[in-house]
Each structure stands twice: as C-alpha cells, then as structure tokens.
Amino acid sequence: MRGVVFRGNRELEVLDFPDPTPGPGEVVVEIKASGLCGSDLKFYRDPPEAALKALGFKDFASRGLGENPAIIAGHEPCGVVAEIGPNVDPRAFTVGDRVMVFHYKGCGFCDLCRTGWTQMCTHGATIYGATAHGGHATYMVVPAETLVPMPEEISFSAGAAIACGTGTAFGALRRADVTGRDTVAVFGLGPIGQSAIQFASALGAEVIAVDIAADRLARAGELGAHHVVNSSSTDAVEAIREITGGRGATVSIESSGAPSARVAGTRCLGPWGRIALVGLGGNIELDVSPDIVIKQISIIGSYTFSNVGMGECARFVAQHGIDVDALFTDRWKIEDAETAYKEFDQQVRGKAVIEF
C-alpha cells in the first residue's frame, strides 16, 4: 500500500508499505477519505522532533520509534472495515462497516480513558498520524475500540471532517452548553469555525461570524451566520455590542488561536457569558476584574472531543441534515499529496481531503 510521510521542512514522500495485518483486538480499515488539518502543518513545516515537542511529547526515541521514522501522516481517517483480528467481539464490528477512527489511543484503564477521553490519558496517548501510522494511506490498522460507527447518511469525506475539525467544533459548543437562546460569536473561520457556524445555527442560536478575510466571511453567511464582522476594518467588540443592542454575545467560540481574537472573544461577552478556547498556541492578556470577574465570565478550554462525543456529532449531523460536505474546497488523490500540502500550507481556504 502507499502512505504519505512528512519529512519536515515542507517535504513529504509517498512511500510503499506492506499491507497491514490485524493483531488481537485490532481491525484493518480500508481508508476512503483522510482529511488535511491545520495541526498537520506542524509536521509538514517543522522537523518531526520539533513538531512532537510542540504537541507536548518528548522524542521519537523515547517512544520506541527510532530516530525520524517513516510515520504515515493523517489523523482524520474514515473508511470501511476490511479485516478483523482475533478477540474482536463480532457484535461490535463486521467487515464492510462504515467507520470513523478516533485518532487517539490511551492505556484503556485510567479514568480518562474509561470515559472516552483517551487523548488525556494519564499515562500518555498515542496519536495516529503523529506517533503512529495515520490515515493518509490505503489501509490503517487500529484497535477496535478506536472505531466509531458512521451513519449511512454521511459521506466518507464528511466522516473524515467529523474525525477532527468538525467534531472539535461540536465538542466546543457542547462544552459551552449552546442552545437556541444564545447569541454565539465565532472568531476564526477556518474549518473549525465554519463547522461551529453550521452547528450553532442548527441549534437555533443567533450566529455572528468574525474573521479578517472577506472570502471566509462570505462563506460564513452561506453556512448559516446571521451577521458577519470583518475585524481587519471594524472593532469586533463594538460591532457585536451594536448587533446585540448593547447586551453582548452570550457565547464566543475562539478557533483561530490569535491573542487578539481571544481578547475580543472575551470582551464581547455580556454578563455570565462563556468563551470556549479551541485554537492552540499563543497567549491571552486580559484585565481580570472588568473582563472576567465583574461580568462573571466562564472561560472554557475545549480540546477536541471524546470518542462518545464523536459518535454524538455524527448522529447530530445525520439527524439535522448538516451539509458537512459544503465545507470542502479541495479534494485530492494520494498521488497529489505534495501539491495538496503545498497549497494547504499557503492558504487554508476551507476543508481539504485526500479521497481514495
């Protein structure tokens, strides 16, 4: 089979690998779609060791992987079960099942793993596509417990999006307890922000989209935003207060990671507001008393989602007819991986995917 390997410094290779064989408790997934994610760019741009450290890991050698190994990229895998190994309960999965892969594996025994938050495993998590082979390949072998069934109504590409960015947006809205009573300001209109607009609109909330790019703002309106604010030319806080009649938003979702957006996302809130911080990296500097304490603001860190939450997201998409495929601006084949990442690195216009 073929698989994409990041070498760092904006170099990648498509290499040949042996077709995987499932061991006890494992399954082989025939990949149908594997999404490109902004966090992939850390491994595409930087030497692998530096990329791992940026994610809080030590080095490859300490994980028994050797120095700069050929790890297949891609942490948004979706496909069908192709082969089942020993000790997999036949009631769980059968050959041909449509599945998404939850791209983390933990110890399976700590409380965080038992509740589905394996990325927060007490003993450290494996991340498929970073520290173990991922989905930018023809096949992928994973423990059966990482699989999440996918409704028939969802395309494979939509399933790949749910496996990371779209699922992350859904998880942030759940963490912020968004309902139809809320006014939700979404800062940063990459794939996560665009998905947040779709979900918040489906929940009945009034949605305000904030970004510096005119094309993203136009897209936000098509995806369900009721108002758009170009923060490159307008004070976003003042604009949101004007839209809300001076009350401020009740919830903000910050997915850009930009310090200025985090500050604006906090200051645009009215009393008892909630902000979910999704974007990684960077800092935030606030005046604690007026910005947080006096208004009794809740600041929520939202890190992807649980494997149970991933299934909930997929079912919500199917039940509410969310057009996740509308997020996609670029569809590629594996032989086009070099061009795909070169263009993705230059401008994240929307969601991109490798389809098989």
Side-chain angles (χ1 to χ4, degrees):
M1 71 175 191
R2 295 174 298 166
V4 177
V5 174
F6 294 143
R7 292 305 190 189
N9 302 311
R10 292 179 166 85
E11 295 181 0
L12 62 77
E13 297 179 273
V14 180
L15 302 178
D16 291 324
F17 291 84
D19 289 351
T21 301
E26 294 181 333
V27 299
V28 172
V29 177
E30 181 183 355
I31 301 298
K32 297 296 186 181
S34 182
L36 280 64
C37 177
S39 59
D40 288 328
L41 294 177
K42 294 182 178 68
F43 293 87
Y44 175 68
R45 295 168 177 166
D46 301 328
E49 293 282 351
L52 269 184
K53 289 177 181 177
L55 292 175
F57 290 90
K58 294 182 180 179
D59 54 22
F60 283 118
S62 70
R63 302 180 68 83
L65 298 172
E67 186 175 348
N68 194 16
I71 297 291
I72 297 172
H75 63 271
E76 300 184 355
C78 183
V80 297
V81 175
E83 188 176 356
I84 296 175
N87 303 333
V88 175
D89 192 324
R91 296 171 298 179
F93 297 101
T94 59
V95 171
D97 284 349
R98 305 168 82 248
V99 293
M100 302 169 290
V101 178
F102 188 68
H103 63 274
Y104 305 102
K105 177 184 178 296
C107 70
F109 300 102
C110 71
D111 288 345
L112 291 164
C113 284
R114 288 176 184 272
T115 54
W117 292 93
T118 53
Q119 68 270 47
M120 300 172 68
C121 176
T122 303
H123 304 289
T126 294
I127 302 179
Y128 294 104
T131 60
H133 287 325
H136 284 0
T138 316
Y139 296 100
M140 181 180 183
V141 61
V142 292
E145 64 265 23
T146 66
L147 299 186
V148 177
M150 190 175 71
E152 291 289 338
E153 298 90 337
I154 297 175
S155 72
F156 288 113
S157 292
I162 291 168
C164 188
T166 294
T168 294
F170 185 79
L173 292 169
R174 287 292 305 272
R175 292 272 287 131
D177 195 24
V178 170
T179 72
R181 297 172 297 174
D182 285 305
T183 298
V184 180
V186 180
F187 287 78
L189 303 181
I192 293 175
Q194 291 172 357
S195 295
I197 287 168
Q198 289 185 306
F199 287 132
S201 178
L203 288 167
E206 182 178 16
V207 183
I208 304 170
V210 185
D211 202 284
I212 61 174
D215 58 338
R216 288 185 173 188
L217 290 166
R219 189 75 179 121
E222 297 171 0
L223 294 172
H226 302 90
H227 314 274
V228 297
V229 175
N230 190 325
S231 55
S232 69
S233 57
T234 303
D235 184 312
V237 175
E238 291 302 318
I240 291 168
R241 292 200 174 280
E242 183 175 348
I243 290 168
T244 59
R247 294 183 301 275
T250 58
V251 175
S252 59
I253 306 294
E254 203 300 294
S255 62
S256 73
S260 60
R262 289 173 176 162
V263 171
T266 305
R267 290 179 175 164
C268 77
L269 296 170
W272 307 101
R274 297 99 72 195
I275 177 170
L277 299 177
V278 179
L280 299 175
N283 296 302
I284 184 170
E285 186 173 335
L286 295 165
D287 192 338
V288 172
S289 295
D291 291 341
I292 303 171
V293 176
I294 292 172
K295 292 197 297 181
Q296 306 215 60
I297 300 300
S298 296
I299 298 178
I300 302 163
S302 188
Y303 179 35
T304 58
F305 43 85
S306 69
N307 53 22
V308 175
M310 185 176 175
E312 291 176 348
C313 178
R315 291 190 294 274
F316 186 93
V317 166
Q319 291 164 2
H320 292 266
I322 306 296
D323 187 8
V324 175
D325 286 288
L327 300 174
F328 289 94
T329 54
D330 300 277
R331 298 174 185 268
W332 304 94
K333 296 299 182 183
I334 192 169
E335 55 266 24
D336 301 318
E338 185 173 359
T339 301
Y341 271 96
K342 185 176 294 184
E343 293 194 7
F344 190 60
D345 182 37
Q346 292 171 350
Q347 182 183 18
V348 181
R349 295 177 296 179
K351 190 64 184 165
V353 65
I354 294 174
E355 296 177 322
F356 294 81

